[in-house]
Amino acid sequence: MSEPTAPVKKKRKVVLDQRLQAYRGVWVYIEHERGRVHPVSLELLGEGRKLADTLGVELAGVVMAGVDAGAEARGYCQTAFEYGADLCYLMQSDVLGEYRNEPYTQGLTDLVNAYQPEILLLGATTLGRDLAGSVATTLNTGLTADCTELAIDPDDRSLLSTRPTFGGSLLCTIVTLNYRPQMATVRPRVMAMPESQPGRTGRIVEHGLLLAEADIVTKVLEFIADDRRDTPQLPFADIIVAGGRGLGKPENFQLIRDLAKVLGAEVGASRPVVQAGWVEADRQVGQSGKTVRPKLYIAAGISGAIQHRVGMEGADCIVAINNDPDAPIFEFAHFGIVGDVATILPALTEAFWVKLKRQASLPPQEEAA
Amino acid sequence: MHSVVCIKQVPDSAQIRVHPVTNTIMRQGVPAIVNPYDLFALEEALRLRDQLGGRVTVISMGPTQAEVALRKALSLGADDAILVTDKAFAGADTLATSYALAAAIRQIGKELPVDLVFTGKQTIDGDTAQVGPGIARRMGLQLLTYVSRIVEVAPERREIVVERRAEGGVQVLQTRLPCLITMLEDSNRMRFGSLPDALRAARQEVRHWDKTAAGIEDVTKIGLKGSPTIVSKVFTPSPRAEKAEMIAIEDGSPADLAAALLGRIAARFPGVEKELAQRA
């Protein structure tokens, strides 16, 4: 037995109130962290540029920072210009030094009300999700989380936000009705990084924030920076070896680690094995874990549910090993091997070990001048 | 301390299957569970009650079947359970959901003032992480998302200190009660319910609140009408134009397969080959 996933709706034409028709332009929230722009903001500028060009409007970055960030904040604007922004809204205030929900929500809400963009995009980071949810509620508008695709409906200029649904078993496209701006978040590494255009410039619009430290309830007592060596850098890894339920038993996950070690790769996992406690949660690849774009992704015993697929299909080369010839992963992998992962993985580890050892023993090849 | 914990009943998404021909969700036999992320919120609220005294009220919005999820929470130790259920809530997106839950939590507060509202980080079916921030905003509560540890609660000073997972590090935040906390996964270990709690959960009343009992003032803000977003289509992704190149050798050993695969990677993906050479 099955039932339709959703009633088949006639395409609903979105008719905007006069007031909302004035909302124009695409905005990207420029997140920065310890002096540099977060890569997800640059990825969003690439995507925002396409949306703005389709709509025939400007692309703006939004930079919010503490006063002590000084010239650094202008540097973030310059970075935004080089990645495609036409202008930047710059808000600097004493209360914006460290990210806190209350002042940032008020600041971004003020900017939206003052300059009225039709689309506002944020990275789906811990900051972006915290901020987007609060701003959308304050503005009483629609927000679509973790989009994997953004497009413009040519009929009515509305934003079509596509994201996984039903726990990642299907995809759905969401539209915002008679509300503006249309807000969406996108996870890091989902969109491709655009080329930078050094020297490209734009204009900066400064806007103040009427808020004093005494008005703000929450205080940051301390910031404890992560020790980067301890945390897996999955999103930016070039080679990933990932394991799933097809490994059969938790002990077999060691076979994934063995191959990863030989390759100098990061270890990834599908949601079921993380939920079963075979491996730590920060190794999870997929809609509810990390999104990755490695050069090589080896998936062993992973069936390839949409929830996993959206997290790794940006990989250049996907190798799938699964004992089920009908596993969906073979629909989108580049290479497939049908067989027992527990015997194929050790053979692969051995083969890669021999290959890398042989390459290491060769004299370094001269690069053609 | 009076904590309200928001929980949601969700299908166990690990067990959802899509019908290969009709592209429809096969719901039959998929068990409904308490959203796993919400259990970290519940456990944290129970710990605070055990340390400082007070009560834990669990609340859920959903169809009448969601009472099962609330009974589960009672069996784990929650004191009271309220199900916000009304046909008028159907079709709610996250904005409309947070409006309804915020109204209901205010009603709970009229019976016993609320010090803390807890939610999970996100649900496993919607994955939006928007309802927690939405409730906080609507109730005018300070919002603490992705909390990994509650460092200190000082009820007499109305203060709380938490550790919050931020980009590139952990923020130690101090704020005022009442506030809303979304708990990060693995921040604690859910207890096993006790036998007395299991017995109590089986017979205790789970109150059902319709939109009037939940204190909804503006019916244009709930359900489909109160939702700015709609789902315009649901679909399966198109397969890649070209399917996987299958590596298979008749009577081949695993070693033969591995060697064949490495050869084909080298032939088709020079970028990968270069990456491997750097690691030799």
Side-chain angles (χ1 to χ4, degrees):
Chain A
M1 267 287 288
S2 65
E3 55 183 283
T5 49
V8 179
K9 289 197 186 80
K10 278 231 170 93
K11 190 174 147 103
R12 191 168 339 177
K13 191 153 170 59
V14 180
V15 181
L16 285 184
D17 290 348
Q18 196 76 34
R19 180 180 69 83
L20 297 177
Q21 286 178 20
Y23 281 65
R24 279 286 164 178
V26 178
W27 284 14
V28 172
Y29 180 81
I30 307 295
E31 185 171 337
H32 52 88
E33 175 197 331
R34 317 286 129 192
R36 71 184 241 287
V37 174
H38 196 294
V40 73
S41 304
L42 306 178
E43 292 159 10
L44 283 177
L45 283 168
E47 205 57 24
R49 184 72 259 169
K50 290 182 221 161
L51 299 176
D53 289 345
T54 307
L55 290 165
V57 296
E58 287 190 311
L59 174 66
V62 178
V63 175
M64 297 170 70
V67 170
D68 53 354
E72 250 172 52
R74 291 187 168 264
Y76 305 145
C77 296
Q78 182 51 39
T79 304
F81 298 145
E82 291 178 2
Y83 281 85
D86 299 306
L87 72 157
C88 274
Y89 295 99
L90 174 60
M91 178 179 271
Q92 285 190 278
S93 159
D94 285 336
V95 298
L96 299 175
E98 288 271 357
Y99 175 76
R100 285 176 294 176
N101 178 266
E102 190 179 10
Y104 271 74
T105 297
Q106 174 156 354
L108 187 52
T109 305
D110 284 358
L111 285 171
V112 167
N113 287 330
Y115 302 102
Q116 307 190 331
E118 60 202 291
I119 293 172
L120 171 56
L121 307 176
L122 298 95
T125 59
T126 58
L127 186 159
R129 285 178 148 213
D130 184 280
L131 181 58
S134 302
V135 169
T137 309
T138 312
L139 294 168
N140 193 42
T141 191
L143 165 62
T144 306
D146 293 358
C147 300
T148 52
E149 204 185 315
L150 298 170
I152 301 294
D153 186 330
D155 294 341
D156 59 11
R157 298 175 66 88
S158 62
L159 179 67
L160 304 172
S161 307
T162 296
R163 73 185 304 267
T165 185
F166 287 107
S169 329
L170 291 169
L171 294 170
C172 67
T173 300
I174 291 176
V175 294
T176 297
L177 299 170
N178 190 17
Y179 303 82
R180 287 294 178 272
Q182 306 160 90
M183 292 178 61
T185 64
V186 178
R187 287 145 43 98
R189 308 297 277 161
V190 167
M191 302 298 179
M193 178 68 77
E195 291 280 327
S196 93
Q197 303 162 63
R200 191 176 178 280
T201 59
R203 53 187 208 283
I204 293 177
V205 178
E206 292 192 69
H207 195 96
L209 176 62
L210 287 173
L211 209 54
E213 185 57 43
D215 303 329
I216 298 165
V217 176
T218 300
K219 309 290 177 195
V220 181
L221 301 183
E222 198 185 343
F223 183 87
I224 307 159
D226 288 336
D227 185 343
R228 291 274 174 189
R229 286 164 305 180
D230 290 351
T231 48
Q233 297 297 308
L234 269 180
F236 295 93
D238 285 317
I239 302 182
I240 294 170
V241 184
R245 220 166 7 183
L247 285 162
K249 50 184 176 182
E251 300 84 78
N252 280 350
F253 208 86
Q254 188 55 41
L255 303 174
I256 297 288
R257 295 196 185 92
D258 292 345
L259 176 54
K261 192 167 179 210
V262 164
L263 288 171
E266 285 283 355
V267 168
S270 67
R271 184 166 66 187
V273 298
V274 169
Q275 279 182 353
W278 294 11
V279 60
E280 315 82 72
D282 58 4
R283 296 282 174 193
Q284 188 177 325
V285 173
Q287 172 70 6
S288 45
K290 302 279 191 296
T291 303
V292 300
R293 297 182 85 89
K295 295 193 172 97
L296 176 62
Y297 189 91
I298 300 175
I302 293 176
S303 67
I306 292 175
Q307 121 81 23
H308 189 75
R309 174 175 175 172
V310 296
M312 46 64 86
E313 66 183 337
D316 294 344
C317 174
I318 299 167
V319 174
I321 308 162
N322 205 297
N323 62 1
D324 174 9
D326 296 322
I329 197 158
F330 294 126
E331 299 278 327
F332 58 94
H334 299 90
F335 297 107
I337 296 179
V338 176
D340 174 23
V341 281
T343 56
I344 292 168
L345 275 174
L348 210 49
T349 304
E350 170 89 20
F352 273 116
W353 186 79
V354 170
K355 179 186 172 90
L356 295 181
K357 196 142 179 92
R358 190 179 299 140
Q359 274 173 348
S361 66
L362 291 175
Q365 284 195 331
E366 293 290 323
E367 289 276 332
Chain B
M1 292 292 292
H2 181 206
S3 297
V4 172
V5 183
C6 305
I7 67 172
K8 186 182 182 190
Q9 189 182 47
V10 297
D12 186 349
S13 60
Q15 300 194 35
I16 287 183
R17 294 285 175 274
V18 177
H19 193 281
V21 180
T22 57
N23 277 345
T24 52
I25 294 277
M26 300 189 286
R27 289 175 202 258
Q28 208 181 44
V30 177
I33 55 172
V34 178
N35 174 42
Y37 292 119
D38 297 345
L39 294 176
F40 300 108
L42 176 60
E43 174 62 26
E44 208 59 31
L46 293 172
R47 283 184 190 191
L48 285 182
R49 180 201 60 189
D50 295 348
Q51 275 169 30
L52 303 165
R55 293 185 80 75
V56 172
T57 303
V58 284
I59 181 171
S60 187
M61 183 173 117
T64 49
Q65 308 81 287
E67 192 182 309
V68 177
L70 290 166
R71 284 203 189 279
K72 174 77 184 169
L74 289 173
S75 75
L76 291 168
D79 300 292
D80 292 296
I82 291 161
L83 178 66
V84 181
T85 186
D86 196 311
K87 284 204 169 67
F89 295 129
D93 72 0
T94 57
L95 198 77
T97 301
S98 66
Y99 179 83
L101 284 172
I105 295 168
R106 271 193 216 103
Q107 294 299 106
I108 294 172
K110 285 180 187 167
E111 296 173 2
L112 180 67
V114 176
D115 300 299
L116 278 166
V117 180
F118 282 98
T119 71
K121 174 182 89 160
Q122 63 196 60
T123 59
I124 60 164
D125 59 345
D127 275 317
T128 68
Q130 280 160 214
V131 173
I135 294 171
R137 203 69 202 157
R138 292 187 183 283
M139 296 187 68
L141 299 177
Q142 290 294 309
L143 170 66
L144 305 170
T145 51
Y146 305 105
V147 169
S148 52
R149 192 165 82 93
I150 294 179
V151 181
E152 192 196 354
V153 183
E156 67 291 349
R157 293 202 309 274
R158 309 294 296 153
E159 270 177 11
I160 183 167
V161 177
V162 304
E163 290 181 0
R164 169 180 187 267
R165 163 84 350 227
E167 295 301 303
V170 171
Q171 281 183 323
V172 183
L173 296 174
Q174 179 189 60
T175 198
R176 201 165 59 202
L177 299 176
C179 66
L180 186 143
I181 288 176
T182 83
M183 278 315 284
L184 201 63
E185 70 273 18
D186 298 335
S187 46
N188 54 41
R189 241 193 138 69
M190 190 69 222
R191 64 191 59 195
F192 295 103
S194 68
L195 185 60
D197 280 333
L199 295 172
R200 176 177 58 87
R203 52 169 199 268
Q204 189 176 338
E205 186 202 3
V206 170
R207 284 187 281 170
H208 287 212
W209 281 2
D210 64 7
K211 62 178 192 290
T212 312
I216 303 297
E217 285 163 5
D218 185 349
V219 288
T220 65
K221 290 195 168 159
I222 58 169
L224 205 56
K225 232 186 268 173
S227 301
T229 59
I230 56 157
V231 175
S232 72
K233 67 170 176 173
V234 178
F235 59 104
T236 47
S238 48
R240 268 197 189 144
E242 123 202 54
K243 285 197 182 184
E245 174 183 336
M246 301 307 288
I247 311 287
I249 301 168
E250 217 169 311
D251 299 325
S253 68
D256 297 336
L257 285 171
L261 173 65
L262 264 55
R264 293 301 298 147
I265 292 175
R268 278 181 59 191
F269 291 91
V272 172
E273 201 57 13
K274 223 167 116 185
E275 183 64 36
L276 290 171
Q278 285 170 12
R279 288 162 196 249

